[in-house]
Amino acid sequence: LLVAAGSCAALGTLSSRRRASQGPPPMKGGSAAEEERPYFERRKNPALLYGTAWKKERTTELVVEAVRAGFAGVDTACQPKHYREDLVGEALRRLEHDHHVSRDELWIQTKFTPLAGQDPRNVPYDSAAPLEEQVDQSLRTSLEHLGKVDSLVLHSPLRRFEDTLTVWRRFEAAVDRGDVTQLGVSNCYDERLFRRLFDEARHKPRVLQNRFYADSGYDAGLRAFCRQHDITYQTFWTLTANRHLLQTSATLRAPAARLDATPEQILFAWLIRAGHQPLTGTTSSLHMRQDLQAEHLAAQLQPHEIDAIAQLFSSSSS
């Protein structure tokens, strides 16, 4: 969570974040390995994902900490410019060896990043190779790092739709081979483009991961399309882009007070209740635990609170 130093509203938000500091009770009985497992049962469709962008050399320790706190899903990318996918892989090995958490218990999502999004000094594939080979090389690297890929996401559409479709056909071949379970797209704010890709895809996108912010009208149309077609809408930059609302909106602060929670938890809870899948990239142990509690809080939101928050993030009020 990023807040402006010296701001009274920001200090109030931080105070409320500290308030819900107690996690669920530890598991009782069973082996030592079972007792140190996260408090909720791991599953293949986590309510929240732990995001690993910009974690750099701390990636391994933070992923281990997040999983031990309760995260069952991790988001990364084969993009050394912003991610250390190799260190996510190291975290997976450490979790299995030191904490008895197997790879099969976790849901891992990575991305193919087109050349325009890579650091030209550190591209994880041959930049001179044909586009199809760039995709295949990137995926081979991801498989070496992660063992298997539960969700493969196109980091952003390419400038030409024909090239986007070329990448997608290679993605589909990976699903056919069994290397990847499902496919998705990120940073796609053009509803017509996303619909066209959906229509032309043989393996339909199962994920759309976008920045959740006012400039896009909070993707109201895209989110409706995702709900209609059983596509998981994932949000990133969720707290940073909405600090003004988290600090001032009674729509978020009132249910937070009622549930002895924080506005940040309420926003995550509402997104989960709406069928979305937020990402959080916090490096705070406290905030990891608080964010995970959002799944429990989602069931406690009252209908009028759900409707009011939905209105807050509708395109007409953005």
Side-chain angles (χ1 to χ4, degrees):
L1 174 65
L2 301 177
V3 292
S7 163
C8 293
L11 289 173
T13 300
L14 281 174
S15 177
S16 67
R17 284 283 273 190
R18 293 191 185 103
R19 184 174 58 192
S21 60
Q22 298 301 314
M27 298 174 62
K28 302 295 184 182
S31 66
E34 289 172 337
E35 289 180 5
E36 70 174 14
R37 287 176 184 269
Y39 64 81
F40 70 81
E41 182 180 358
R42 299 174 189 281
R43 63 209 192 297
K44 291 301 182 183
N45 187 28
L48 297 94
L49 298 181
Y50 185 69
T52 61
W54 307 300
K55 301 300 186 292
K56 300 182 179 180
E57 290 76 14
R58 295 192 64 197
T59 298
T60 296
E61 65 171 285
L62 288 169
V63 169
V64 169
E65 182 177 2
V67 170
R68 295 195 67 198
F71 283 90
V74 176
D75 175 85
T76 185
C78 193
Q79 184 201 30
K81 181 179 180 180
H82 295 310
Y83 294 81
R84 288 295 304 272
E85 187 189 59
D86 58 323
L87 294 184
V88 173
E90 175 59 29
L92 297 177
R93 289 186 289 274
R94 189 172 299 179
L95 283 162
E96 183 151 21
H97 183 269
D98 296 343
H99 305 292
H100 310 284
V101 178
S102 74
R103 172 66 183 84
D104 288 341
E105 294 178 84
L106 300 173
W107 190 90
I108 309 297
Q109 175 172 275
T110 193
K111 308 176 192 76
F112 164 73
T113 306
L115 194 57
Q118 300 282 2
D119 180 347
R121 298 165 299 180
N122 190 12
V123 181
Y125 48 77
D126 181 359
S127 60
L131 183 56
E132 297 92 334
E133 183 58 27
Q134 292 177 9
V135 176
D136 291 349
Q137 289 179 15
S138 179
L139 178 56
R140 283 197 292 271
T141 298
S142 294
L143 290 169
E144 290 173 4
H145 290 157
L146 306 173
K148 63 179 179 179
V149 173
D150 297 295
S151 182
L152 178 63
V153 170
L154 173 58
H155 213 156
S156 63
L158 287 83
R159 289 189 177 183
R160 298 192 321 139
F161 179 77
E162 292 78 7
D163 291 335
T164 297
L165 197 58
T166 293
V167 171
W168 199 260
R169 296 304 183 216
R170 298 310 301 159
F171 277 22
E172 291 176 327
V175 174
D176 292 340
R177 292 192 304 269
D179 291 338
V180 174
T181 303
Q182 69 173 36
L183 306 175
V185 186
S186 183
N187 294 295
C188 181
Y189 303 92
D190 185 333
E191 187 174 346
R192 290 179 298 178
L193 174 61
F194 188 68
R195 285 175 176 266
R196 184 179 178 188
L197 178 61
F198 182 87
D199 289 340
E200 298 203 25
R202 181 167 54 86
H203 290 296
K204 306 296 184 184
R206 299 265 59 91
V207 162
L208 174 61
Q209 183 188 109
N210 275 352
R211 182 175 300 186
F212 191 67
Y213 70 143
D215 288 0
S216 66
Y218 295 105
D219 282 343
L222 279 166
R223 289 192 289 122
F225 182 82
C226 287
R227 284 192 297 269
Q228 181 183 357
H229 295 280
D230 195 27
I231 300 167
T232 299
Y233 179 84
Q234 298 176 347
T235 72
F236 69 90
W237 220 43
T238 311
L239 303 184
T240 304
N242 297 290
R243 281 180 290 178
H244 59 300
L245 294 175
L246 292 166
Q247 294 170 5
T248 64
S249 173
T251 302
L252 294 170
R253 299 184 76 84
R258 181 179 67 82
L259 295 170
D260 193 28
T262 70
E264 291 83 358
Q265 287 176 302
I266 296 302
L267 176 52
F268 281 149
W270 174 78
L271 287 165
I272 293 168
R273 185 69 176 264
H276 306 323
Q277 190 177 47
L279 278 74
T280 175
T282 182
T283 60
S284 161
S285 299
L286 170 61
H287 292 172
M288 286 181 187
R289 295 195 302 271
Q290 288 181 339
D291 294 345
L292 286 164
Q293 290 171 339
E295 183 178 11
H296 173 68
L297 292 168
Q300 300 181 58
L301 290 175
Q302 297 178 350
H304 73 277
E305 294 169 335
I306 295 170
D307 292 343
I309 299 171
Q311 182 60 34
L312 190 65
F313 293 106
S314 70
S315 58
S316 59
S317 60
S318 60

